[in-house]
Amino acid sequence: MTAPSRTSLDGLEPAPDFSRFSWRALRQYYRGEFAASIAVNVAYRGSVGIWVVTSVIQPIVMIVVWRTVAGPTGTVGGYTASRFVTYFAIMMLVNHLTFIWLMWEFEWRVREGTFSPLLLRPIHPIHKDISDNVAYKVIGLIGILPAMVILILAFHGDLSGMDPLQLIAAVPALVGGAVLRFMIEWVLALSAFWMTKTTALNNFYMSVQTFLSGGFAPLSVFPPLIAAIANWSPFPWTQAFVANVAMGRTTGVHILSGYGVQAIWIAAAFGLLRLVWSRAVRRYSAVGA
Amino acid sequence: MSSETADPRRSQTVDRGPLAHGWVIVRTYVRLGVLNVAQYRGEFYVALANVITLATQFVGIAVIFANTSDLGGWTSAGLVALIGVYTILSGLIAMVIQPSLQQLMEGIRLGTFDFTLTKPADSQLLASVAVVSPAQALNIVFGAGIVGYACIRMGTMIGPLQWLYFCLTLVFGAAIVYSFLTLLGTCAFWWVKVDNILVVFSAVFGQAGRWPLAVFPGWMRVVLSLVIPVGLAVTIPAQALAGGLSGWLVLASGSVAALFFVASRAFWRYALRHYTGASA
């Protein structure tokens, strides 16, 4: 039996040429990989369900706390108690659609050597991660969307100021936020190539991220200095911006400038990602290999 | 009679009571944990990073009290004390409870837990202290520091009785958290993979445990006191310092702790009777 070789002329299918970038190949890859990811997430629907339950807890607690701060009639940073409910309910959805878990997984991937087969594939491993991520988000939405509605109904959220145009404007903001957050956190995950234990860095990142992205409170309730720090960081542009557009708090030209800020951060994050990735792979030596 | 006195060393090793025996086990595992720290120094940085994480919680409290003067009857100093209690309890969980449970689940899945059962000591104790990561003791120290700082900021004299109540309810809180987690971990005998349940617990503890019970609506207070009693475990000790506790609340907290401890013990025994072993 002759081993198939790239140069053979014996009627074997010619080996695909991956040296050139091909949209067609990428599209095919995504179609297959996405179907597989969906199947995996459906198979582990119990775990997905548990994760959905976990992601509901934080918004509930934040709603309860800020409702107490605002009191039944007062406002804090322009938010009444029932506006806080809407804000955190929407933020839950935005968080679900933008977060990634890979910084917790890369340590294990590097340690157990499961990165090796991914690197051997003739396609950048990020595509598999993107596909897995999108598939998980789609399956998780089945739980998160009803949870959001229940939160708004149970805690009497105030939906005034929302309108269809604002919701449409929130969609590109959401996509931009998801892309930006994916890149930032994927770069963070790459730290596993240099560190054997990444939990410390991840915990630190998560606490800063939750705070500056608006997960702890809307940015308008922050004291001016902290609000300024947050606005100059990329984090609110991944989440709070999206929620503000959806709620009708950010309008008109501010939406456009927000898209602009997202674009600048995405470009910067993309540059960083390429730089760190090329160095990370050179450093890689699988422990399991 | 005469043979016992003739060989005192022998009587020392054989006639030890179950409590002293248990203590030796705990000490041995703590010592092993210390040796492990020397091996993986990275763990220490994990604990240190948790301390940095605390800083964001203080900023959070500052943000809240920039907008209000009290949160459900709690002052900012009281809330700091609560964060201190939370830090102590989460340090305890991260130091011994969580890693040991993880080991237990792994042991059940791989069959290595059977070796634990062959050892001549209480299996629940062995499983509960199987892994100790002393680096996390840093969290407990920091938690105690935060509590101290909060007391200074409150500026009121805290009477000896309230300090006693604080210590008592803190022990009850630790017992509640331990028993609850053990109850969850014991489910591994049937379901093998209960990591996800522990994730839900960490989320509830990590989010709801950092706030006083008073901010929650009635039904959630009941859940956080009796069903997933993390609110009770954290709030009651902090309240002893922040506003003072009545003896009844101490008694209530003690009863919940006793109830959960007895339940965890009974459930463990029940689980062992039904355990067949993964390797068998």
Side-chain angles (χ1 to χ4, degrees):
Chain A
M1 188 176 165
T2 52
S5 93
R6 270 164 196 264
T7 49
S8 72
L9 301 163
D10 53 8
L12 276 172
E13 214 179 317
D17 180 9
F18 285 104
S19 60
R20 278 174 304 156
F21 185 76
S22 148
W23 283 107
R24 207 175 66 84
L26 199 63
R27 203 170 60 233
Q28 270 180 343
Y29 173 80
Y30 264 96
R31 204 178 297 148
E33 190 70 52
F34 186 70
S37 306
I38 288 279
V40 167
N41 279 297
V42 170
Y44 290 96
R45 55 193 173 274
S47 315
V48 178
I50 295 268
W51 276 104
V52 168
V53 170
T54 346
S55 45
V56 177
I57 294 167
Q58 199 250 0
I60 290 181
V61 172
M62 283 348 289
I63 285 172
V64 160
V65 168
W66 284 103
R67 231 169 44 145
T68 315
V69 174
T73 52
T75 58
V76 171
Y79 282 81
T80 60
S82 38
R83 289 294 273 175
F84 274 119
V85 175
T86 316
Y87 175 80
F88 285 112
I90 293 177
M91 280 296 276
M92 176 177 77
L93 178 69
V94 174
N95 186 49
H96 170 74
L97 291 175
T98 56
F99 93 102
I100 71 172
W101 60 86
L102 290 160
M103 57 283 204
W104 305 104
E105 198 179 301
F106 269 41
E107 177 189 320
W108 170 82
R109 273 193 196 172
V110 171
R111 188 168 28 128
E112 303 280 316
T114 53
F115 229 121
S116 307
L118 292 179
L119 286 171
L120 279 173
R121 291 180 179 187
I123 192 162
H124 198 297
I126 199 169
H127 295 301
K128 180 179 163 43
D129 289 342
I130 294 172
S131 163
D132 282 350
N133 209 266
V134 174
Y136 171 83
K137 298 310 174 45
V138 171
I139 300 293
L141 269 185
I142 299 167
I144 288 285
L145 277 177
M148 182 175 78
V149 174
I150 292 169
L151 267 189
I152 292 176
L153 291 179
F155 289 98
H156 311 294
D158 173 6
L159 298 177
S160 63
M162 291 181 83
D163 75 55
L165 278 180
Q166 289 284 336
L167 286 182
I168 292 170
V171 173
L174 179 65
V175 174
V179 171
L180 176 56
R181 191 170 172 193
F182 188 97
M183 285 181 174
I184 295 172
E185 298 186 355
W186 209 75
V187 171
L188 173 72
L190 290 179
S191 66
F193 284 92
W194 284 270
M195 300 157 74
T196 41
K197 286 262 184 191
T198 55
T199 321
L201 187 65
N202 289 340
N203 282 339
F204 173 63
Y205 169 82
M206 289 310 288
S207 61
V208 173
Q209 194 276 139
T210 308
F211 199 82
L212 295 182
S213 68
F216 174 78
L219 262 56
S220 65
V221 310
F222 284 177
L225 176 69
I226 302 178
I229 294 174
N231 275 320
W232 282 96
S233 79
F235 303 115
W237 306 102
T238 65
Q239 282 149 274
F241 170 60
V242 186
N244 283 335
V245 174
M247 286 178 75
R249 285 183 66 90
T250 301
T251 51
V253 71
H254 294 291
I255 300 180
L256 294 179
S257 63
Y259 291 159
V261 176
Q262 283 188 326
I264 293 168
W265 276 116
I266 288 173
F270 185 66
L272 186 69
L273 191 150
R274 293 197 61 143
L275 182 77
V276 177
W277 171 250
S278 67
R279 277 156 197 258
V281 177
R282 258 180 275 154
R283 259 197 71 93
Y284 179 62
S285 59
V287 183
Chain B
M1 178 80 193
S2 61
S3 69
E4 258 189 272
T5 44
D7 192 356
R9 276 175 61 199
R10 196 186 131 80
S11 68
Q12 246 177 26
T13 47
V14 174
D15 295 340
R16 251 196 305 248
L19 261 182
H21 189 211
W23 172 239
V24 170
I25 291 169
V26 172
R27 223 174 45 196
T28 310
Y29 277 105
V30 169
R31 200 168 55 83
L32 283 175
V34 173
L35 290 176
N36 255 320
V37 173
Q39 200 181 346
Y40 299 104
R41 261 152 290 178
E43 276 287 292
F44 181 76
Y45 297 109
V46 175
L48 206 64
N50 288 350
V51 172
I52 300 171
T53 311
L54 277 177
T56 58
Q57 295 187 23
F58 285 121
V59 180
I61 292 181
V63 167
I64 284 179
F65 284 93
N67 292 298
T68 183
S69 58
D70 84 305
L71 183 72
W74 287 68
T75 62
S76 83
L79 217 54
V80 170
L82 190 127
I83 295 284
V85 173
Y86 166 80
T87 309
I88 293 174
L89 287 180
S90 65
L92 190 71
I93 293 175
M95 185 171 82
V96 52
I97 302 175
Q98 181 99 21
S100 299
L101 278 181
Q102 223 86 47
Q103 169 111 332
L104 169 72
M105 290 185 295
E106 195 66 5
I108 291 172
R109 197 170 65 83
L110 298 175
T112 49
F113 176 70
D114 300 6
F115 296 122
T116 309
L117 285 179
T118 60
K119 289 178 184 159
D122 185 90
S123 59
Q124 189 181 350
L125 178 69
L126 276 177
S128 301
V129 295
V131 185
V132 182
S133 57
Q136 297 290 344
L138 201 64
N139 265 319
I140 300 177
V141 173
F142 266 89
I146 294 167
V147 169
Y149 166 72
C151 290
I152 294 168
R153 250 187 61 180
M154 276 185 265
T156 49
M157 268 302 285
I158 296 161
L161 182 69
Q162 291 302 331
W163 276 112
L164 176 71
Y165 282 171
F166 169 76
C167 295
L168 271 177
T169 50
L170 191 62
V171 172
F172 294 154
I176 287 171
V177 167
Y178 162 76
S179 309
F180 191 80
L181 273 168
T182 305
L183 276 169
L184 293 185
T186 308
C187 296
F189 283 106
W190 287 275
W191 298 333
V192 183
K193 268 197 84 72
V194 291
D195 311 45
N196 286 327
I197 302 181
L198 291 185
V199 165
V200 173
F201 173 84
S202 327
V204 173
F205 183 73
Q207 298 296 337
R210 278 187 272 166
W211 304 100
L213 277 175
V215 304
F216 294 97
W219 65 272
M220 283 169 114
R221 254 180 257 179
V222 174
V223 170
L224 292 171
S225 306
L226 297 170
V227 186
I228 314 172
V230 294
L232 189 81
V234 177
T235 303
I236 299 286
Q239 203 176 322
L241 302 177
L245 278 181
S246 69
W248 291 112
L249 269 174
V250 179
L251 197 67
S253 146
S255 318
V256 173
L259 199 74
F260 271 90
F261 186 73
V262 170
S264 82
R265 199 85 194 128
F267 190 45
W268 177 267
R269 294 243 171 91
Y270 178 75
L272 280 192
R273 271 206 305 278
H274 293 258
Y275 175 64
T276 47
S279 52

